[in-house]
Amino acid sequence: MLTILFLIFLFGIFGKLFFFGIRAAWGISKFVLMVVFFPVILIGMLIVGLVKLAFPLLLIFGVIAMFGADR
């Protein structure tokens, strides 16, 4: 009986820690993608000559960043 109770609490505690770690990793990866990789991709598109594609992407993500950052 104590073993079953121990396993239930074990999965409960480490399950919460697991999902907390997943949420933290998702937040960190979103930050890294938006701060590091997105500007590098836009600069690369500018260098290659895809200004007609890079500029609308910059405008779209800029508007989303200005008005969609309520959280």
Side-chain angles (χ1 to χ4, degrees), residues 6-26:
F6 176 77
L7 287 174
I8 290 171
F9 286 139
L10 181 78
F11 285 125
I13 291 171
F14 286 109
K16 286 184 180 181
L17 286 174
F18 175 75
F19 287 116
F20 174 74
I22 295 293
R23 289 181 60 195
W26 175 247

Side-chain angles (χ1 to χ4, degrees), residues 24-54:
W26 175 247
I28 292 169
S29 65
K30 274 197 314 190
F31 176 76
V32 168
L33 285 174
M34 292 305 291
V35 171
V36 177
F37 290 123
F38 185 65
V40 170
I41 290 171
L42 285 178
I43 291 170
M45 290 171 78
L46 185 70
I47 291 172
V48 172
L50 297 172
V51 178
K52 289 184 179 181
L53 185 62

